[in-house]
DNA sequence: CTTGACTCCGTACCATGATACGGGGTTTAG
DNA sequence: CTAAACCCCGTATCATGGTACGGAGTCAAG
């Protein structure tokens, strides 16, 4: 039966709840599969799709964005050019997140160092300032 | 009046909604300031605090985590050692996020390259596989 | 053919992070 | 003194991303 998973099997295999799969379908994130009788039957590659969604979410994409990324990979009627554009957009978003996180890390390291130097009560330590140096106006 | 902002002034200055500030106070994320009569009066540095919360959130921390980070900076009764520990924990979390984002970026770049080579319909392109190579079991 | 496991669907509910509303009190400028 | 502008508080509502429930249909083994 490698070509057909019930929703329960799919859920187990991709480590999510059955309800979550139904939820994704209602939201249009996951394409509804063909039904055999009244029951959904999923091709095996849906496991990869769900894992992809979960991975995307872990990396800070919303469910909707995860769906967009997924559909880039899946829509065979789209041209490579279209895909490229959206993909590069996402790459830039990721780069920005990385950059911001690095700044945040630096701020925290400054805080850490600022404490390492002396084992004083924190009141002696200009911490908040330490944090805020790179605070940007938006 | 550099030492006293009403909630409205604070909200304007830190680019959030008045309700958001009240919400943070209800949740214990932001310490309630002294009241002058019935009205909250905030020291000027609350602007920095709120900005800090917002910055943390942008970087993928929950409100609760943002509050924890903030309180690291603010609690003068905590010892540097305690702070150091929590701070380093957060640094590791950030490092992990950066690492994951870099992997995601690589995956997206592989997808992009895979499209760049040929301007074919995507159906010719083994995209989903391209994405999933680093998919990890959890 | 029955029984148990699984599925169907709709609806309700949960947490998080806000945002809005409404009836009242206060404060300040004219 | 009065009216606008602001603040108080509680409560309701919203979006996101699920999770749970319950009554009914279905499928597969014995």
């Amino acid at each position: 039966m490698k070509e057909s998973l019930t929703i329960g099997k799919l859920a187990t295999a991709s480590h999510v709840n059955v309800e979550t799969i139904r939820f994704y379908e209602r939201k249009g994130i996951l394409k509804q599969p063909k039904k055999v009788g009244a029951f959904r039957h999923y091709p095996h590659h849906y496991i990869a799709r769900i894992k992809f969604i979960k991975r995307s979410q872990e990396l800070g994409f919303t469910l909707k964005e995860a769906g967009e990324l997924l559909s880039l990979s899946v829509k065979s009627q789209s041209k490579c050019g279209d895909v490229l554009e959206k993909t590069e957009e996402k790459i830039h978003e990721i780069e920005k997140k990385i950059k911001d996180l690095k700044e945040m890390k630096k701020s925290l390291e400054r805080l850490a160092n600022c404490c390492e130097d002396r084992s004083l009560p924190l009141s002696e330590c200009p911490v908040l300032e330490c944090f805020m140096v790179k605070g940007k106006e938006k």
Side-chain angles (χ1 to χ4, degrees), chain A residues 34-94:
Chain A
K34 285 177 184 147
K35 291 194 180 178
V36 176
F39 289 9
R40 294 166 178 84
H41 275 240
Y42 298 89
H44 202 255
H45 65 255
Y46 267 72
I47 296 170
R49 292 190 187 183
I50 291 170
K51 282 186 183 171
F52 178 75
I53 292 168
K54 285 298 171 190
R55 180 155 147 74
S56 301
Q57 284 182 309
E58 279 169 25
L59 298 176
F61 293 95
T62 65
L63 191 52
K64 198 175 155 228
E65 286 172 331
E68 284 167 22
L69 285 173
L70 183 58
S71 76
L72 288 185
S73 332
V74 163
K75 269 182 200 156
S76 51
Q77 70 273 29
S78 58
K79 292 285 171 207
C80 279
D82 307 342
V83 172
L84 203 53
E85 203 178 309
K86 285 214 128 196
T87 304
E88 279 168 353
E89 211 176 278
K90 292 296 176 190
I91 289 171
H92 292 319
E93 279 172 31
I94 290 175

